[in-house]
Amino acid sequence: MALKIANNNASSAGHERGVEEHISTADPSHRGRSLIRTSLDSFQVKGPEGSYSCLVYPPMREPLSMYQRRFDDRKMPLPLIKTYIRALLTGLDYLHKECRIVYTGKFILGLTFCR
């Protein structure tokens, strides 16, 4: 398991948990649903500086940057990049169309494309 601990920002963690609960009520038949990682559980931990919200997630695969190192000159084959981007867009489509959630965070794709 992976554990995300909110550092004294309970409102942020609570908001994240609320969004995930909303996602769980949307249509699960959309093919993008399986691409969205949501927490399995949440709990509070009391520490010397106060209470911390903790979210429990299933482990993720290795980061894309680490996977990229497996290729000569870190150049991933174009078909693999297209598959990755298609999965990303399918997940975003699910969040937008089925969950009515708009993702506005920064997304930086640090890939070296090969032709």
Side-chain angles (χ1 to χ4, degrees), residues 5-16 44 49 51-54:
I5 302 171
N7 54 353
N8 282 338
N9 193 350
S11 65
S12 175
H15 176 72
E16 186 171 343
Q44 296 286 320
E49 302 295 322
S51 183
Y52 297 88
S53 295
C54 303

Side-chain angles (χ1 to χ4, degrees), residues 4 6 9-25 33 37-44 53-58 101:
K4 181 177 183 179
N9 193 350
S11 65
S12 175
H15 176 72
E16 186 171 343
R17 184 70 179 147
V19 168
E20 290 181 4
E21 287 173 4
H22 173 71
I23 290 170
S24 71
T25 65
R33 175 61 185 103
R37 187 177 77 138
T38 56
S39 63
L40 301 171
D41 198 5
S42 64
F43 58 93
Q44 296 286 320
S53 295
C54 303
L55 300 172
V56 181
Y57 289 93
I101 295 172

Side-chain angles (χ1 to χ4, degrees), residues 75-91:
K75 293 182 179 177
M76 295 173 64
L78 188 56
L80 185 60
I81 293 168
K82 286 181 177 181
T83 300
Y84 175 79
I85 291 172
R86 188 174 296 114
L88 177 70
L89 293 174
T90 301

Side-chain angles (χ1 to χ4, degrees), residues 92-106:
L92 287 173
D93 182 67
Y94 173 75
L95 290 176
H96 179 72
K97 287 184 180 173
E98 298 297 331
C99 303
R100 312 298 273 169
I101 295 172
V102 177
Y103 181 76
T104 58
K106 287 184 178 180

